[in-house]
Each structure stands twice: as structure tokens, then as C-alpha cells.
Amino acid sequence: MTEWIKVGRIEDIPPLGARVVETGNGDIAVFRTAEDKIFAVRDKCPHKGGPLSQGIVHGRNVTCPLHNWNIALESGQAVAPDEGCVARYPLKVEDGVIHLSLKG
Amino acid sequence: MKEKLVLIGNGMAGVRTIEELLKLAPDAYDITVFGSEPFGNYNRILLSPVLAREKTIDDIMLNDLQWYNDNNIKLHTGKWVTKIDRAKRVVITEDGSEEPYDRLLLATGSNPFIIPVPGSDLPGVISFRDIHDVDAMLEASTKYKHAVVIGGGLLGLEAANGLRTQGMDVTVVHLLDTLMERQLDKPAAELLQCALKEKGLRFMMEAQTEAILGNERVSGVRFKDGREIPADLVVMAVGIRPNIELAKKSGIHCERGVVVSDTTQTYDPRIYAVGECVQHRGQTYGLVAPLFDMAKVCANHLAQLGYSRYEGSVVSTKLKVTGIDVFSAGDFLGDETTEDIVMKDAARGVYKKVVLKDNKIHGAVMFGDTVDGSWYFQLLRDGTDVSDIREHLMFGQAHLGDSGHGGQNAAVAMSDDMEVCGCNGVCKGDITKAIVDKGLFTLDDVRSHTKASASCGSCTGLVEQILVSTLGGDYSATPQEKPLCKCTDHTHDQVRKAIRAQHLTTIPTAMAYLEWRSPNGCHVCRPALNYYIISTWPAEGQDDPQSRFINERAHANIQKDGTYSVVPRMWGGLTTPNELRAIADVADKFKIPTVKVTGGQRIDLLGVKKEDLPAVWGDLNNAGMVSGHAYGKSLRTVKTCVGQEWCRFGTQDSTSMGVILERLTWGSWMPHKFKMAVSGCPRNCAEATIKDFGVVAVESGWELHVGGNGGVKVRPTDLLCKVTTDEEVIEYCCAFIQIYREEAHYLERTAPWLERVGLSYVKEKIVDDAENRAALQERFLESQRYAQKDPWAERVSKGVEKHEFIPLKHVS
């Protein structure tokens, strides 16, 4: 059974923005796109560990604030030609409430 | 039913067009490709390294068979198309099979020109155009001794050098008395010939071939003057002709090439043509850069976007002839209406000539040291008036040898393990490997794959050199007016003009009006759009925090570990015991690990956790301090010396002037960071002559300096003018900042901006035109009414952007 944790409402995250969920095992970045899609990935760029939650969100990508790597939020993969990938976390949205699972 | 697109010619231009098309409209067509060679698409530019046995055909493959498969493209290799039936809209191949098309793309390339002399069809007489020729040359080099290359152009010299490295005795035969006469003037060609002689090549100049001798196979060459030389292999490299046979036979209008319009369409609007087979506005092209330009335009029309136009390419030749750098562009010979500036240092093997006409660069040719070739080419294409920089022109842009790459300015002399890009730690070997393995052609390609020159950019010249030397005789120069980013075709200037003219005050309306290609832009265009909007419409423009880089959103500088640094403003570098006590208390209270004095005369608190930022600011606000904007594309600091008040040399009160200027200008958003300084005498202890706006006091008043930079590329300021009163300093300062705010591109510092527009232009607008100066000042002060709000206080007391600083949730 997946254990879902309520972390907040969609409106708590600005469109084209992100917020952080702090856990004992490091931060998780929760993103909101312009079309209100929500994605959650580990808040650590595969390049040099930059906090992805602080990056600029565009389309379904985020640009890491440290060295401008682009990460596709859906797959967690770095956009070519960069190579690398970041862990994703399952989530669901019910009545505007975001439920996150920590089993990434 | 999808429409059918047929490409005839599986070479670089045609396949590039398909690649561009797939990017724009991946599912628009069923695509079929016919190629006469039995391979996928390979990089013809890299044939020389194959001849030198440094690479194999597999190494230089750009699109292997898998690529065609992956993209559902039907590829027929080794198959000739013999006819196009335009009425029935089918192409017919040599075996009689037919392939229907809705649109057809001709990219049949060019054929080598074979001089029609007796014996030119003998075995052992070849050209140097494809992998088949290279195989023939390699085979000959193992069996035979004497090679003759007819043609002293780039291709001929590359072939000659390749055969020489394979151990053959090589003679280059040239009709004229100078090598590469289309790219080089006489002095440069002579230097080149000397250098090649030292490498063991022999030359016969002004020699006209009369016959190729031999029975079963070539055995020699005879010239008009009666001389004969032995030859076991003859390579004809006298030029290429557009391959228009098929087009002609099918009734498509051809002159020297297949004639196309600005949309790359032939006279039959269903049939497009790109590449070397094309004649556009009377020109034919043989270099890769223009072919790729055409490919882009053609793809735009095939994808039915229909707005792109090919308007011809200005070509520069930056070549690597067998390990020797040469460069030429434009009209490098000149005539009675032009003037030459020449620099020659034969011992160093360096020759440079710049041809000027009406104070603009009309052409240039360089040998040995070509680092500044791309700079001259840029000035040529931009039509920049070079009178302001004429005295320095021959010494180059001097962006190499500044910092970060150990003073290297010749990529040839570097070994593979030497570092080129000091920011990202990229070595020469990494770059050459990426260029070959990934099939890169442009500076942008190299930047995105290797990160070399992608950070501070000071090694750009070196990276370009490596690109040129790896690609040999070809290289795609960056186009002059680049689009703002990949989301649009519009340039910075066009975007800004539209924002003003159309009264666009939000990013979504600007994107909609300018037909942005991506739904919400990218990390490059959104901050630029945001700046243009808020600087153009200070009262109404909507500032979008999500389109700002994190530092400007969090009002602090992000550090490598995700913590932030905090720098309170110290007006003119002055502080008080109370302020220092408050800073010390904050550092203790929040356990801030590092406290550092900055270069801009203030104090940096490093390692602050993001959640602590509002509380840290609150304490600093309580002691009367505000944000120092050390994180912004905005006014940073005004550095001062102690000046007249204390210093025995001081001529004016520089500290007070610094405070006045900082109080006046703080908070203003700029295209890039902006630094000022005020020195109290010409000893210039505040280092005002490497600032964006520097003020130096003299006995009779103030000198105003602009466009300086002390960073990666050290650039001293230019003197704008001398003034006598404090009011004038203020007026000029405001006017200069405002013209920079209104006209520079986003992320362009004052130094490159000033070099782009010229000091004369800025003087004309600010110094000569008092009315304009006053208007600029007024607009600046108006925008300051909206900008001078302490962002820290807004967040501490008014709770602005609260979500930025607290986690969404804490889960244990």
C-alpha cells in the first residue's frame, strides 16, 4: 500500500514555481506548471547538487539555478546534451490537495 | 493521409533540412530519401582526417542508418534518380521504380570539375569529393610514389597534404602565380606557400595542364610549356560545379545552379532546392554555413510556417590549411576607393590586412594569427564605424590573454590535455572529441555539448579556433543578429521595440503578440522579457517573480550548497559602529558561518539558510540598513576613496559624491549589474576607470568615465566628458544609466554595449544633446519612483512573497 502524505494545496505553489517538502532524507521539490500539472522530484540537480526548487520553470522543465542544466520534470531526465537523472516521487491531486508518496 | 516528401541527395544540406523539419513538424510528412552513395549522411568536411588515416568513415557519420529508421524515413542508398515527372508528381529511379511526391526537395550537391584534356579519363585520375575518392587515394599511396594535385585551392592543398602524410611525393600544380587566390592576397599566399614547402610539398605555379599521359594508367602530366612530370596518381581539384543535370532534364529552370527564390522554392513551387546545387540571387555557395541557413528556411516552409526567408549569406573563410590558420572575409584586395592597414611579422609567421572603406571594414585577410578574424567579420557584417577604435584595430580585440586560460591565444599550439575553458575545466581534447563524435558545426553546438566558453565566454576565440582546425576547411559562423533564444526568431531589439510600440506590459501578452514558439518561454527569454517590460513601463509593467533568476526572487545570492549570502547596503562604502554591531549580532544570532569584506566596500554574510532570510533582514532593517542588491542585475555599489575630507591629495569630496550617487540610483533594475566609483584625485584609489560609470575628481571639477570592466575581460573606461559642478555629475550619471537601461540587450554589460554602439554614439546622445540628456534624466528619475522600495522591508513587514521562504511541509 502506498502511503500518501498531504503536503498542501495546488494554490500554495505559484504557477511556474516550486515549493520544498522537507524530509529526514533530504528535500523534495514540488513543481507547478502553467497548466497546473504537479511534479515532485528530489531537490538535487544530478550535475552538482543544486536545489532545483529554486530554478525557473518553463513548459514541463526546470532550469537548475547553479549551472543552467535543464531537467524534464516528467521523466526526471536531464535534457540533452546533458546527461543525468533525478529521482521522482509519485503524487496525486484530489480536490486541489497534493498527496505525495516518499517511495521515490 | 500524410503528404509525401521526397529528398533527392542524401548529403549534408538535404539531411540537415529534414532534421530542421522534424524539429518543427515531426509528423507532417512521409519522408523518402534517395542517395547515390551506399551510406547514411556523413560529414564531408572531415574527409581530410580520413585521408590522413586519423578517422574512419564510421567516425564521420552524421546520421547512421538507425537514425533514418528511428525517424521513419525510407532511405534508398546507392540508387540514382533519373527523372522527375512533374505532371504526375513522381520521381523515377534507374531501375524504373517510381516514388510519388507532394513536395520534392532537391539537394543534389555539386560535381568536381574535370579539366577536359586528353587522358583525363585514365585510371588513376580522380577528384577529392567523397569517401570513394579517399579510398582510391589511400590505396594508391600504398602502391605508388608520385602524386600530382591539379589546383592550388583549399581542396587541392588538403588533398596534397593528406597524400604527403601517406608518404607520397606530391607536386601541386596551379594555373596562377598565387595559391588560394579567391581567399588570400599575394603576401598571405606567399607565406602559405613557404610554410607548405617546408612541409615537403612541391609547387609548379603558372603551369597549364595540356595532357595527362599514360596507357593503362596515368604515368605523367604534360604542360603547355612542354615540361613533363611523372605521376602515378592525379587528383583534380580545380573547382566544383552545381549538379543540375536532373533538374535541367526535368524542365526546372537552371542557370549556373537550380534557381531558387527566398523561400528556397524552384520555379515549380512544389519543388524546393537547397545546398550546393542551388543558385540564389545569382550566387552559388560551397561552404556549410550558408547551406545550413538555407536548410533552416526550407524546413520552415516545408512545415508550412511560411514566414522565414533566405536572403543570402555573407561568407567568411576561416580555414585551416594543413595546420596553418588563414582567414579572409569580404573584399580583402581593395581598390582605389579603399585604404589598407597592414601588419606583417614574417619571423613570427603573422600577416594581417584590414581593408577599410568609409571608416568601415570592407574586407580582411589574415595568416598565422587568426584569433581576431571573427571580430573583424562581426564588425564587417554589422557595418560598424571603426574610427573610434582605428588605432587599436590591428592589435585585435584582445579578449584572449585576459584571465582563465593561461595566456593561450593559439589553439594549434595547445596539446589535448591543456585547459581551454577555465570556468568549466574543459580541455582541448574534450572539445575536438565532441566535435567529431557528435557532429558539431557551430560555436553554440560546442557550448551546449561541452560547456566550453559557455560561462564567462573569455575563451570563445580559442574554441572557435579549435572548431575551425577540427572541421578543416569549413565552419559555420554565428549569424549576426541572433534571435533572443530558441523560443523565438525575434532579436533583442525587435522584442524591445514591440514591447514599446504595442504597449505590452505583461509577459503573456508579449509572448502572444510576438508569437512565441513555446508556451511559457525558457530560462533565457523570460528574465529578458521581464526586464524589458519593467524598464519600458516602470509604472504599469508587471514584474513577474517567477521569471526572475532565483537571486532576484529571494533577494540574496544563492551559493553552491543552496544557502544564501546577504549584503546590506553601505552608502558610498561608509558605515557606523551601530551598523557594525548590528551585523555582528545578526551573525551571532543566526550562526552565520562566514563574514567577508567584499570588493565593493561592504560586508557579506555567507551561508544563511533560506528560511532565516526574512528574520536576518528584519534585524538589519531595524538597524537602518537596506538591501545592497548584491544579487541583482541592478545598481551594485558606489566605491569611493576618502577624498578631500581627510586625504592630503584629495581635490573634491569624493565620499559625499559617492553617497549622493548611490542614494540617487539604488534599486534601479538594469540589463546587467552596474558598478560605480568616485575617486577624489587622479591617483584614482577607488579604481573608477574599470567601472561602468566612474567619476574622477580633478582640481577644476570631475572627469566622467564610462564602460569599464575589471572582470574576465579587463577594459578601462572611455572618457565621456569633463564637468565642473556636482549637479552635472548627477545629470550625466542619470542620463548614462538610462540610455544603457533603454538600449543595451539584457545581460549585456556596459563594456560590450559601448563597443557595439561606439563611444561617439553615446557622446552624441548625452554630451552633445543637452535636451536629450535632460529627457533621459527625467525618465530615469521617473522610473526610480517605482523602483526605490527596499525589497527586504517589503518581505519582512508586509509579507510579500511569503511562500518563497517557508517550506510547503515538513515531514519527519
Side-chain angles (χ1 to χ4, degrees):
Chain A
M1 264 296 282
T2 312
E3 192 189 330
W4 295 105
I5 303 166
K6 284 185 196 172
V7 293
R9 298 191 58 81
I10 287 191
E11 309 85 75
D12 296 336
I13 307 173
L16 294 173
R19 298 281 299 274
V20 167
V21 173
E22 291 180 340
T23 79
N25 280 326
D27 291 354
I28 297 171
V30 185
F31 295 88
R32 176 178 174 190
T33 68
E35 43 186 345
D36 284 348
K37 288 268 176 204
I38 308 291
F39 297 100
V41 303
R42 195 164 158 72
D43 196 15
K44 224 174 160 153
C45 180
H47 178 220
K48 294 202 171 167
L52 295 171
S53 57
Q54 312 295 296
I56 289 181
V57 182
H58 46 95
R60 293 186 179 182
N61 292 344
V62 63
T63 303
C64 176
L66 293 196
H67 306 96
N68 290 335
W69 274 39
N70 283 304
I71 308 293
L73 297 172
E74 256 174 318
S75 62
Q77 298 282 340
V79 176
D82 294 327
E83 289 169 13
C85 114
V86 59
R88 291 167 298 155
Y89 292 87
L91 60 78
K92 58 180 184 180
V93 180
E94 283 172 0
D95 299 329
V97 178
I98 305 166
H99 301 254
L100 184 68
S101 158
L102 298 188
K103 297 211 172 86
Chain B
M1 265 289 276
K2 273 200 240 178
E3 294 214 316
K4 289 180 191 310
L5 172 67
V6 172
L7 163 64
I8 303 175
N10 186 30
M12 292 169 69
V15 177
R16 180 71 163 215
T17 309
I18 303 288
E19 284 183 328
E20 296 281 355
L21 172 64
L22 292 174
K23 274 192 243 167
L24 297 173
D27 298 314
Y29 294 96
D30 278 327
I31 303 174
T32 306
V33 179
F34 290 94
S36 59
E37 289 186 73
F39 308 104
N41 173 36
Y42 61 87
N43 190 346
R44 216 168 280 272
I45 297 169
L46 290 179
L47 283 175
S48 299
V50 177
L51 178 57
R53 292 189 197 273
E54 290 162 9
K55 308 246 178 315
T56 67
I57 172 80
D58 290 333
D59 295 333
I60 65 169
M61 225 10 113
L62 289 172
N63 305 84
D64 56 15
L65 299 179
Q66 189 61 42
W67 178 84
Y68 295 85
N69 244 326
D70 292 346
N71 289 288
N72 294 319
I73 295 168
K74 213 182 332 159
L75 171 66
H76 299 280
T77 55
K79 209 171 203 182
W80 290 85
V81 172
T82 50
K83 199 171 174 331
I84 305 166
D85 186 334
R86 296 196 290 130
K88 279 169 65 185
R89 295 215 303 266
V90 293
V91 301
I92 302 159
T93 63
E94 52 189 336
D95 59 16
S97 58
E98 294 189 355
E99 184 74 36
Y101 68 84
D102 295 295
R103 297 199 192 203
L104 179 65
L105 175 57
L106 291 177
T108 47
S110 61
N111 291 324
F113 182 62
I114 302 289
I115 319 170
V117 291
S120 63
D121 53 355
L122 279 170
V125 180
I126 59 167
S127 54
F128 182 34
R129 280 300 286 168
D130 56 29
I131 202 77
H132 181 72
D133 294 327
V134 173
D135 286 341
M137 285 158 86
L138 286 174
E139 198 198 328
S141 71
T142 60
K143 292 192 204 156
Y144 303 106
K145 185 79 191 142
H146 299 288
V148 171
V149 175
I150 302 178
L154 172 71
L155 213 54
L157 296 178
E158 287 288 353
N161 186 59
L163 292 168
R164 172 81 201 132
T165 58
Q166 295 306 308
M168 294 189 84
D169 251 359
V170 185
T171 305
V172 176
V173 175
H174 197 51
L175 192 59
L176 302 173
D177 64 341
T178 51
L179 294 173
M180 290 180 61
E181 69 283 352
R182 287 172 64 186
Q183 288 91 16
L184 300 180
D185 68 349
K186 206 159 176 169
E190 277 167 7
L191 283 168
L192 176 65
Q193 196 176 337
C194 276
L196 291 175
K197 268 187 190 157
E198 278 172 23
K199 291 185 171 232
L201 293 183
R202 272 201 293 270
F203 290 92
M204 283 183 70
M205 307 302 283
E206 297 180 84
Q208 192 175 357
T209 307
E210 187 179 68
I212 297 183
L213 311 173
N215 297 320
E216 303 281 293
R217 185 186 167 88
V218 57
S219 65
V221 179
R222 188 170 70 229
F223 301 98
K224 278 264 160 65
D225 60 9
R227 283 183 291 174
E228 281 185 21
I229 54 171
D232 307 310
L233 176 74
V234 172
V235 180
M236 292 259 196
V238 290
I240 54 171
R241 298 283 179 274
N243 179 8
I244 55 173
E245 199 191 337
L246 176 67
K248 236 176 163 171
K249 221 163 58 180
S250 311
I252 297 167
H253 179 62
C254 297
E255 288 171 9
R256 272 180 307 139
V258 181
V259 177
V260 297
S261 65
D262 287 2
T263 56
T264 72
Q265 271 161 314
T266 66
Y267 273 60
D268 180 335
R270 283 188 180 273
I271 303 182
Y272 296 72
V274 294
E276 289 181 336
C277 63
V278 154
Q279 178 182 333
H280 171 265
R281 296 193 187 179
Q283 283 281 329
T284 60
Y285 293 100
L287 294 171
V288 161
L291 307 192
F292 284 2
D293 292 346
M294 286 181 215
K296 224 177 170 134
V297 174
C298 183
N300 184 283
H301 289 278
L302 286 174
Q304 308 199 351
L305 297 176
Y307 59 80
S308 193
R309 283 157 56 93
Y310 180 67
E311 296 177 344
S313 304
V314 187
V315 190
S316 75
T317 328
K318 196 166 184 181
L319 304 172
K320 177 71 151 205
V321 185
T322 66
I324 302 154
D325 284 317
V326 300
F327 169 88
S328 69
D331 170 19
F332 53 84
L333 294 174
D335 54 33
E336 63 282 355
T337 68
T338 63
E339 20 174 7
D340 297 347
I341 311 181
V342 177
M343 191 180 99
K344 188 171 176 179
D345 184 345
R348 275 204 307 137
V350 172
Y351 168 78
K352 299 182 189 182
K353 177 167 109 180
V354 172
V355 178
L356 298 180
K357 187 174 184 173
D358 304 328
N359 290 323
K360 289 173 185 166
I361 294 186
H362 201 51
V365 57
M366 305 164 87
F367 179 91
D369 174 2
T370 57
V371 169
D372 285 300
S374 37
W375 183 50
Y376 292 143
F377 188 47
Q378 183 80 37
L379 293 171
L380 183 154
R381 281 196 298 193
D382 292 353
T384 308
D385 188 319
V386 295
S387 356
D388 286 345
I389 48 171
R390 184 174 173 140
E391 53 187 298
H392 309 294
L393 198 58
M394 296 314 282
F395 302 107
Q397 198 181 15
H399 57 157
L400 294 172
D402 277 343
S403 65
H405 35 70
Q408 286 293 332
N409 61 6
V412 202
M414 296 175 74
S415 60
D416 276 356
D417 58 357
M418 282 170 83
E419 190 174 66
V420 174
C421 174
C423 290
N424 296 309
V426 188
C427 297
K428 184 186 169 189
D430 303 332
I431 300 174
T432 48
K433 189 168 180 305
I435 292 170
V436 175
D437 291 357
K438 317 250 176 184
L440 311 182
F441 292 98
T442 66
L443 185 62
D444 282 346
D445 289 346
V446 174
R447 280 187 176 155
S448 61
H449 278 85
T450 67
K451 311 292 179 215
S453 80
S455 294
C456 79
S458 74
C459 61
T460 302
L462 274 182
V463 176
E464 281 194 317
Q465 280 188 337
I466 293 169
L467 199 53
V468 169
S469 60
T470 311
L471 293 181
D474 214 322
Y475 151 69
S476 299
T478 325
Q480 164 202 349
E481 279 281 338
K482 284 177 59 164
L484 200 154
C485 71
K486 288 176 186 136
C487 308
T488 180
D489 287 327
H490 299 298
T491 63
H492 282 270
D493 290 328
Q494 289 167 335
V495 168
R496 173 172 249 164
K497 212 172 138 192
I499 287 173
R500 190 183 308 278
Q502 303 301 320
H503 205 113
L504 305 170
T505 57
T506 69
I507 290 178
T509 53
M511 283 183 175
Y513 180 79
L514 291 160
E515 297 181 330
W516 233 245
R517 275 202 287 273
S518 51
N520 32 62
C522 68
H523 71 286
V524 178
C525 59
R526 285 232 308 276
L529 286 170
N530 195 57
Y531 169 72
Y532 291 144
I533 285 169
I534 59 171
S535 60
T536 308
W537 305 108
E540 312 150 74
Q542 258 178 50
D543 192 350
D544 174 25
Q546 298 312 133
S547 295
R548 285 185 179 260
F549 182 63
I550 182 62
N551 288 356
E552 292 186 359
R553 210 181 328 140
H555 291 276
N557 286 58
I558 194 165
Q559 303 298 320
K560 61 187 274 190
D561 62 352
T563 65
Y564 287 80
S565 80
V566 169
V567 183
R569 205 167 273 291
M570 287 181 176
W571 308 97
L574 291 175
T575 186
T576 63
N578 272 339
E579 285 183 356
L580 292 173
R581 257 189 294 273
I583 289 171
D585 288 343
V586 159
D588 277 344
K589 180 169 163 190
F590 295 94
K591 299 194 173 53
I592 291 169
T594 301
V595 181
K596 187 187 177 305
V597 175
T598 73
Q601 300 186 334
R602 41 201 198 171
I603 290 174
D604 197 350
L605 302 165
L606 289 132
V608 183
K609 289 195 266 315
K610 196 177 185 192
E611 305 90 281
D612 288 343
L613 284 173
V616 167
W617 297 336
D619 286 4
L620 294 170
N621 275 165
N622 287 339
M625 284 177 277
V626 297
S627 165
H629 289 89
Y631 46 80
K633 309 299 176 209
S634 58
L635 178 86
R636 294 286 177 89
T637 65
V638 184
K639 186 171 175 175
T640 64
C641 69
V642 293
Q644 199 184 32
E645 202 184 350
W646 294 94
C647 177
R648 62 200 164 103
F649 299 116
T651 62
Q652 310 279 351
D653 186 353
S654 51
T655 320
S656 297
M657 177 56 84
V659 174
I660 291 170
L661 293 182
E662 191 160 352
R663 294 250 177 223
L664 185 73
T665 56
W666 74 275
S668 59
W669 298 110
M670 309 262 200
H672 208 304
K673 58 184 173 185
F674 194 95
K675 301 179 178 182
M676 300 204 272
V678 186
S679 282
C681 80
R683 284 170 193 77
N684 190 15
C685 294
E687 296 161 348
T689 46
I690 51 164
K691 299 298 178 204
D692 295 285
F693 187 82
V695 181
V696 177
V698 289
E699 198 55 50
S700 56
W702 307 91
E703 279 177 7
L704 306 181
H705 298 260
V706 293
N709 194 312
V712 59
K713 177 182 190 269
V714 179
R715 183 190 192 274
T717 46
D718 291 311
L719 179 68
L720 183 69
C721 61
K722 240 184 98 173
V723 298
T724 47
T725 68
D726 293 2
E727 289 68 37
E728 285 171 298
V729 176
I730 290 166
E731 185 182 348
Y732 277 91
C733 177
C734 292
F736 180 74
I737 288 179
Q738 187 62 13
I739 193 174
Y740 168 62
R741 295 181 75 228
E742 289 178 6
E743 297 187 15
H745 299 164
Y746 187 65
L747 295 189
E748 186 176 41
R749 290 289 300 267
T750 56
W753 169 68
L754 196 63
E755 284 181 3
R756 183 163 64 81
V757 300
L759 178 67
S760 304
Y761 170 80
V762 177
K763 278 186 166 171
E764 190 187 302
K765 296 281 176 185
I766 292 187
V767 183
D768 306 342
D769 188 343
E771 207 175 305
N772 190 48
R773 180 170 68 240
L776 282 165
Q777 181 184 23
E778 199 183 309
R779 290 204 292 280
F780 177 69
L781 295 176
E782 165 69 13
S783 84
Q784 284 297 79
R785 283 179 47 208
Y786 305 94
Q788 290 198 318
K789 290 187 188 109
D790 176 26
W792 290 357
E794 286 187 315
R795 278 152 187 78
V796 174
S797 54
K798 295 184 200 151
V800 172
E801 303 284 317
K802 204 168 155 193
H803 60 80
E804 186 70 60
F805 305 98
I806 37 178
L808 184 60
K809 179 142 184 125
H810 186 87
V811 181
S812 51

